[in-house]
Amino acid sequence: DGGITQSPKYLFRKEGQNVTLSCEQNLNHDAMYWYRQDPGQGLRLIYYSQIVNDFQKGDIAEGYSVSREKKESFPLTVTSAQKNPTAFYLCASSIRLAGEGTGELFFGEGSRLTVL
Amino acid sequence: GENVEQHPSTLSVQEGDSAVIKCTYSDSASNYFPWYKQELGKGPQLIIDIRSNVGEKKDQRIAVTLNKTAKHFSLHITETQPEDSAVYFCAAPANGGSQGNLIFGKGTKLSVKP
């Protein structure tokens, strides 16, 4: 089946450790995104990528890094510089950029990160 | 940049009643307004969207209305069912669409009581 796969679903990390969340899509979409979801805060954009080897910071990029070496993959690294990393992380993709009006976002099922 | 506000944050209705969720936006250049539904433990899913050249769009029990002058748009769900219980998010393009991503509202948790 076509879709977005995020892994792991649950992740625990000690303070000071970096952690990488995986996101893979087989929809042949050009654009990919990472959102952070906190209770009562909606979805906040961390990074997005329009094309391979290119990505842009979103509203809350500090303490995060990404790469886009392959069209299908857009991993997110939560670094030790992220002061409050405990959250639910959602990856999404779209045929083209979502703000252009035709780029429906297809979301994965999310990864819940807990910092101990 | 765009700012999207969504109300109410929680909404409880009886099965069969209607539910209305409202959003306001700040950038008059915005031209695309989607609504996403997030069921428990899943990622959000697009349920309906509207472009700024129309005032209303319907799809079975759901509809979206847009008032460009007042810069607000609303989601209407009629004949609600327990499976409509979820968190609903509205969104608008960042920077009128030139930036290429969406700004989301903070969400409305809808509970439909049988």
Side-chain angles (χ1 to χ4, degrees):
Chain A
D1 287 352
I4 304 226
T5 301
Q6 288 187 241
S7 62
K9 196 171 180 70
Y10 299 96
L11 186 60
F12 297 88
R13 171 195 116 175
K14 293 182 180 180
E15 279 192 34
Q17 290 180 334
N18 291 356
V19 62
T20 297
L21 307 180
S22 171
C23 178
E24 303 279 332
Q25 55 100 356
N26 60 4
L27 300 168
N28 199 32
H29 287 172
D30 285 326
M32 296 188 74
Y33 315 77
W34 275 104
Y35 286 90
R36 170 177 170 145
Q37 186 173 20
D38 297 285
Q41 293 295 317
L43 304 172
R44 294 183 291 168
L45 183 66
I46 304 172
Y47 270 98
Y48 66 102
S49 168
Q50 300 181 55
I51 198 169
V52 173
N53 293 323
D54 180 68
F55 47 83
Q56 307 294 328
K57 291 183 178 180
D59 299 318
I60 56 167
E62 185 175 352
Y64 300 98
S65 65
V66 293
S67 63
R68 187 86 187 275
E69 297 178 0
K70 298 186 298 181
K71 186 175 184 177
E72 316 81 69
S73 179
F74 192 40
L76 173 74
T77 296
V78 184
T79 75
S80 57
Q82 168 49 235
K83 297 188 185 307
N84 186 20
T86 294
F88 188 58
Y89 292 89
L90 284 161
C91 179
S93 72
S94 62
I95 294 174
R96 58 186 65 83
L97 289 175
E100 294 175 354
T102 55
E104 175 183 352
L105 290 176
F106 291 82
F107 285 88
E109 295 205 332
S111 293
R112 186 167 296 280
L113 172 63
T114 302
V115 174
L116 305 174
Chain B
E2 179 65 275
N3 182 46
V4 177
E5 295 192 358
Q6 182 173 347
H7 299 280
S9 57
T10 60
L11 180 59
S12 182
V13 299
Q14 287 294 132
E15 183 176 358
D17 288 349
S18 295
V20 181
I21 303 170
K22 298 180 180 180
C23 287
T24 61
Y25 62 98
S26 59
D27 190 341
S28 57
S30 289
N31 58 5
Y32 171 67
F33 306 94
W35 285 90
Y36 284 80
K37 175 184 180 182
Q38 185 178 26
E39 297 178 349
L40 194 63
K42 296 186 177 182
Q45 187 172 11
L46 179 71
I47 55 171
I48 195 167
D49 56 19
I50 190 168
R51 294 175 183 256
S52 58
N53 58 347
V54 297
E56 184 176 9
K57 183 177 178 181
K58 290 183 179 179
D59 183 3
Q60 298 182 356
R61 295 187 298 108
I62 60 172
V64 56
T65 58
L66 172 64
N67 183 326
K68 288 169 55 180
T69 303
K71 290 190 282 188
H72 67 71
F73 56 109
S74 299
L75 178 70
H76 304 254
I77 306 174
T78 59
E79 301 174 18
T80 53
Q81 301 169 3
E83 52 264 38
D84 294 328
S85 296
V87 179
Y88 292 81
F89 294 96
C90 62
N95 293 327
S98 63
Q99 190 170 319
N101 58 286
L102 295 172
I103 302 296
F104 285 86
K106 292 187 176 181
T108 297
K109 183 176 182 180
L110 173 64
S111 300
V112 179
K113 298 180 179 180

